[in-house]
Amino acid sequence: MSAADEILDVVDENDQVVGVAPRGRVYAEGLRHRCVFIQARDADGRLFVHRRTPTKLVFPSLYDMFVGGVVGAGESYAQAALREAEEELGVSGLPEPRFLFKFLYEDGAGHGWWSAVYEVRCELPVNPQAEEVAWHAFLPEPEVVAHLADWEWVPDGLAAYERLRAHRAAEGCR
């Protein structure tokens, strides 16, 4: 089965399931669906950053500071977060990613998806999927921040990262 044939839940503005459709149709028609974003850090606290392969259906060849992807039909956000993190990092036995928050991402062109943001510590040697990841490294966060202006990032990941930084700043103020 190709990625375009994967069945996804279609959701409304309140993240309630209103139907199912193949991923290819979801993307082509701009149907609202669910995604997960997992920020992976190594034992030293560095962020996993990667450049997507040119064959990706969405945002090919762009940089991302999250691993993740779509939530399959009938799958929970938490199940998708662990599955996607292990698949993209090429590991098994990760601890369960910790849920942080959820938001509705809208791209300004009438497309949107509910996005659940998680974090996970990955102390295992990574072996990212070659069909998903063209380049990767664990980078100190200040280096990631320095590249926000000069690398082309996936827009939804960048939006999630900006929200995550605001979320962490708000947590620090409590």
Side-chain angles (χ1 to χ4, degrees):
M1 177 169 76
S2 75
D5 296 325
E6 182 180 5
I7 303 300
L8 308 182
D9 285 330
V10 176
V11 297
D12 64 14
E13 66 278 356
N14 298 309
D15 197 20
Q16 299 301 306
V17 177
V18 296
V20 295
R23 184 196 300 216
R25 180 174 159 224
V26 167
Y27 289 0
E29 297 179 20
L31 302 175
R32 192 175 291 119
H33 57 287
R34 295 173 170 162
C35 291
V36 290
F37 295 82
I38 307 96
Q39 184 179 73
R41 291 181 183 266
D42 68 5
D44 295 323
R46 297 174 301 179
L47 298 177
F48 180 82
V49 176
H50 67 282
R51 189 170 50 82
R52 297 163 63 90
T53 59
T55 58
K56 293 290 289 178
L57 285 175
V58 178
F59 310 133
S61 299
L62 300 186
Y63 288 90
D64 201 347
M65 68 281 287
F66 293 96
V67 294
V70 296
V71 178
E75 188 176 35
S76 71
Y77 282 111
Q79 290 167 327
L82 181 58
R83 175 183 54 77
E84 287 286 350
E86 288 188 338
E87 282 177 7
E88 287 196 28
L89 294 170
V91 301
S92 61
L94 276 180
E96 187 171 317
R98 184 172 77 94
F99 174 77
L100 300 173
F101 60 91
K102 185 171 74 167
F103 71 100
L104 177 60
Y105 173 79
E106 295 182 290
D107 68 1
H111 301 106
W113 42 94
W114 277 99
S115 306
V117 179
Y118 289 79
E119 65 182 358
V120 70
R121 177 81 55 178
C122 180
E123 298 182 3
L124 304 164
V126 298
N127 184 23
Q129 289 180 304
E131 59 273 5
E132 301 266 343
V133 177
W135 169 89
H136 73 280
F138 281 98
L139 302 176
E141 191 149 5
E143 188 174 336
V144 174
V145 171
H147 285 297
L148 291 178
D150 63 355
W151 287 0
E152 191 174 3
W153 298 90
V154 296
D156 59 346
L158 191 56
Y161 186 68
E162 290 167 353
R163 283 178 166 84
L164 178 55
R165 291 176 70 188
H167 174 80
R168 288 200 168 120
E171 280 185 333
C173 293
R174 291 184 199 167

